[in-house]
């Protein structure tokens, strides 16, 4: 995903697309921030050993010891009152400050009907029939598509596939309703939840923000209750899905016994680019139709039927930097056509945001052995100016599964190299890109559904979801599996075709 102009070659050089090497620099302030998060929970770390020591000491008491202690307390009322007050105070403090658990009850991903499939050859034919693109830019799109990692079964809405195309508000609303209601109908059927039981609703869609809002459309369609807490997030890019999860998590901390519904999607109809600015044409080749709905709960009674528990969310925002802020911009080209322009600095910006995010996340999830090695080498390099190689922690020791936003093949290649992941770890992301394309903020859920359908999720497994988007933002969520997922009991877009995956995706797939 790089900026290209009429003077640039049809396929950008790989050097301009590479993420920066994470080993070259790690800023100490982000490490300090991560350790700050760790220390804020230090009370539990200090109290736990103390309670163990007290319990061990009490276990050695004989009946005579207990009798003697009781006799002493009978004649020392002040000590009894002070100890009782302290015990009540500490217990109250613990229960008031303890965060409510956030459970992922279930989720669903929308799978469009077969009529919406758009093979790459059809994509090129329909693009040519619009009459909007020059021959050079049609060839440019062909080259991008051949190297994109997308397969022959991705989906596009009717308004884009129609000849001539019909991008209008009515068609955009129809696409949004189809995706949202399709995912929600399946989710309600899975969870047996009544729509009126939902207390919190968060919908994110970056480029389509009608009035009434998408969240209002959901409320109207399902007749949700009048006091529902609803939010509609726009313009926050492909990482908005995890921002929605983080927002729902915060709301669940202050609203007890509640269900939170999160919907992540993007709208293609009104955001297809019909111009010839190459920096805006790349998104046509990558983005496809899709969406996901997620049900969260803070009810402890839901733990037994939930799939995952949310462990951490870490958000990184680089918007204060001008280069980061402007690397993905919706704007008009020289002819007045609106599109999303991708800057040539995008990969470098993404790498910097990702490095900050994982540096902050590391102290929260990595085993102590990895943290010590990382911290010692960092101190040696930063404080003592020692000429030693930076130690990059092995995140495979912290997570069993990785769901990396399927933004494009180049991004996945670089993340695989920098995080030293295997083909097995990258498989959900690559297969999601191949089968469904870049579905923006919902791609992480197609990847998790793939992992479940492959029978890989075992009780206690940890999954790292990571996504980045315009602004520029990089966000992470860590989930812990509460039970082993049985693929035979799952219903998702992969179940009917999972035996065909994984497939080998060539570096260049000619059209």
């Amino acid at each position: 995903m790089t900026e290209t102009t009429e003077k640039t070659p049809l396929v950008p050089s790989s050097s301009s697309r590479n993420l920066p090497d994470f080993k070259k620099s790690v800023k100490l302030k982000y490490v300090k921030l991560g350790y700050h998060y760790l220390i804020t929970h230090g009370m539990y770390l200090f109290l736990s050993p103390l309670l163990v020591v007290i319990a061990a000491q009490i276990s050695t008491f004989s009946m005579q010891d207990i009798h003697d202690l009781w006799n002493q307390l009978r004649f020392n009322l002040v000590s009894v009152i002070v100890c009782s007050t302290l015990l009540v105070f500490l217990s109250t403090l613990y229960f008031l400050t303890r965060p409510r658990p956030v459970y992922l009850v279930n989720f669903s991903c929308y799978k469009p009907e077969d009529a919406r499939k758009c093979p790459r050859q059809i994509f090129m034919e329909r693009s040519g029939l619009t009459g909007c693109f020059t021959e050079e830019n049609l060839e440019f799109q062909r080259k991008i598509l051949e190297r994109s990692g997308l397969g022959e079964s991705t989906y596009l809405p009717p308004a884009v596939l129609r000849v001539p195309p019909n991008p209008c508000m009515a068609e955009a609303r129809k696409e949004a309703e189809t995706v949202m209601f399709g995912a929600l109908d399946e989710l309600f059927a899975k969870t047996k939840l009544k729509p009126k039981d939902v207390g919190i609703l968060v919908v994110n869609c970056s480029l389509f923000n009608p009035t009434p809002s998408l969240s209002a459309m959901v409320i109207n369609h399902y007749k949700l209750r009048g006091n529902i807490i609803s939010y509609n997030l726009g313009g926050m890019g492909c990482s908005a899905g995890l921002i929605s999860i983080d927002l729902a998590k915060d709301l669940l901390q202050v609203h007890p016994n509640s269900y939170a519904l999160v919907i992540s999607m993007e709208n293609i109809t009104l955001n297809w680019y019909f111009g010839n600015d190459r920096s805006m044409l790349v998104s046509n080749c990558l983005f496809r139709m899709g969406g996901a709905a997620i049900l969260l709960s803070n009810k402890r009674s839901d733990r037994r039927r939930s799939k995952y528990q949310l462990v951490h969310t870490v958000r990184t925002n680089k918007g204060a930097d001008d280069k980061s802020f402007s690397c993905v911009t919706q704007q008009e080209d020289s002819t007045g056509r609106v599109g999303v322009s991708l800057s040539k600095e995008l990969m470098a910006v993404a790498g910097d945001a990702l490095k900050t995010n994982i540096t902050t996340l590391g102290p929260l999830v990595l085993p102590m052995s990895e943290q010590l090695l990382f911290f010692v080498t960092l101190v040696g390099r930063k404080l003592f100016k020692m000429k030693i190689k930076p130690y990059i922690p092995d995140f495979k020791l912290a997570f069993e599964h990785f769901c990396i936003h399927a933004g494009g093949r180049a991004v996945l290649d670089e993340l695989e190299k920098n995080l030293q992941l295997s083909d097995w770890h990258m498989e959900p992301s690559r297969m999601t890109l191949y089968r469904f394309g870049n579905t923006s903020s919902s791609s992480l859920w197609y990847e998790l559904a793939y992992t479940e359908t492959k029978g890989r999720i075992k009780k206690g497994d940890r999954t790292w979801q990571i996504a980045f988007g315009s602004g520029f933002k990089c966000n992470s969520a860590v989930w812990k599996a509460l039970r082993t997922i049985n693929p035979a009991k799952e219903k998702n877009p992969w179940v009917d075709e999972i035996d065909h995956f994984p497939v080998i995706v060539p570096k260049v797939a000619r059209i």
Side-chain angles (χ1 to χ4, degrees), residues 2 48 67 115 334 405:
T2 56
S48 297
H67 181 71
S334 58
H405 168 55

Side-chain angles (χ1 to χ4, degrees), residues 61-74:
F61 280 15
S62 65
M63 290 302 296
Q64 183 61 40
D65 293 331
I66 295 175
H67 181 71
D68 293 342
L69 180 62
W70 170 250
N71 286 332
Q72 292 178 17
L73 291 176
R74 286 173 58 191

Side-chain angles (χ1 to χ4, degrees), residues 466-503:
I466 187 163
F468 33 90
S470 58
F472 194 86
K473 296 175 287 293
C474 179
N475 302 311
S476 291
V478 179
W479 303 91
K480 182 178 180 180
L482 298 177
R483 56 185 170 90
T484 298
I485 305 298
N486 183 356
K489 296 181 179 180
E490 290 302 305
K491 182 180 180 182
N492 62 50
W494 297 97
V495 291
D496 296 331
E497 51 189 276
I498 193 65
D499 292 338
H500 302 301
F501 294 94
V503 299

Side-chain angles (χ1 to χ4, degrees), residues 167-445:
C168 63
M169 181 62 73
E171 289 291 333
R173 282 184 176 275
K174 187 182 299 183
E175 179 193 347
E177 291 172 352
T178 301
V179 173
M180 290 193 302
F181 302 160
L184 284 172
D185 287 346
E186 182 179 302
L187 181 62
F188 285 136
K190 284 181 177 181
T191 59
K192 305 293 191 270
L193 185 73
K194 297 178 181 178
K196 286 190 178 295
D197 290 335
V198 176
I200 299 168
L201 173 65
V202 183
V203 181
N204 70 267
C205 183
S206 291
L207 298 177
F208 181 55
N209 294 286
T211 299
S213 66
L214 297 174
S215 60
M217 291 165 61
V218 174
I219 293 171
N220 176 260
H221 181 79
Y222 291 98
K223 308 304 178 188
L224 303 184
R225 65 199 202 194
N227 64 343
I228 190 169
I229 302 168
S230 65
Y231 291 86
N232 198 97
L233 306 183
M236 305 196 80
C238 299
S239 67
L242 295 186
I243 294 175
S244 298
I245 294 293
D246 187 60
L247 174 59
K249 178 198 73 173
D250 291 342
L251 291 169
L252 287 171
Q253 295 305 311
V254 295
H255 296 279
N257 298 315
S258 297
Y259 286 109
L261 190 60
V262 175
I263 303 172
S264 293
M265 59 167 293
E266 195 50 81
N267 190 281
I268 304 296
T269 298
L270 279 183
N271 298 289
W272 202 254
Y273 177 61
F274 292 98
N276 284 284
D277 186 327
R278 291 189 178 180
S279 69
M280 301 181 180
L281 280 173
V282 176
S283 59
N284 283 11
C285 301
L286 296 177
F287 283 89
R288 294 295 184 266
M289 189 177 179
I294 304 97
L295 181 65
L296 304 176
S297 172
N298 60 9
K299 300 181 180 183
R300 294 189 181 273
S301 59
D302 279 325
R303 180 183 176 91
R304 293 188 63 183
R305 71 169 182 145
S306 297
K307 287 184 171 182
Y308 306 93
Q309 181 172 349
L310 182 60
V311 182
H312 299 293
T313 54
V314 174
R315 292 170 56 179
T316 300
N317 195 314
K318 293 287 187 176
D321 177 68
D322 291 340
K323 184 173 68 175
S324 300
F325 173 77
S326 59
C327 68
V328 181
T329 308
Q330 186 180 27
Q331 61 187 26
E332 296 174 332
D333 65 11
S334 58
T335 64
R337 293 185 174 92
V338 177
V340 177
S341 176
L342 306 179
S343 165
K344 62 183 179 181
E345 285 89 14
L346 176 58
M347 293 294 286
V349 167
D352 185 52
L354 179 62
K355 181 174 62 179
T356 301
N357 189 271
I358 65 176
T359 303
T360 306
L361 180 68
L364 303 178
V365 298
L366 288 168
M368 190 57 67
S369 58
E370 289 294 295
Q371 294 192 47
L372 287 175
L373 287 171
F374 174 77
F375 189 73
V376 168
T377 55
L378 183 66
V379 170
R381 295 179 65 250
K382 296 292 183 179
L383 298 183
F384 299 102
K385 306 301 180 182
M386 299 173 63
K387 294 183 178 180
I388 55 177
K389 291 183 179 180
Y391 180 76
I392 301 301
D394 185 359
F395 279 90
K396 296 189 293 294
L397 297 175
F399 307 108
E400 284 74 33
H401 311 287
F402 295 80
C403 294
I404 301 170
H405 168 55
R409 183 174 195 158
V411 175
L412 297 180
D413 288 345
E414 291 299 318
L415 283 173
E416 179 181 0
K417 181 179 69 175
N418 278 283
L419 295 178
Q420 300 175 0
L421 302 179
S422 66
D423 291 340
W424 188 88
H425 291 117
M426 297 298 298
E427 186 181 310
S429 298
R430 293 194 184 279
M431 293 304 101
T432 295
L433 181 64
Y434 177 85
R435 178 61 181 86
F436 294 98
N438 181 348
T439 60
S440 190
S441 57
S442 66
S443 68
L444 299 174
W445 301 104

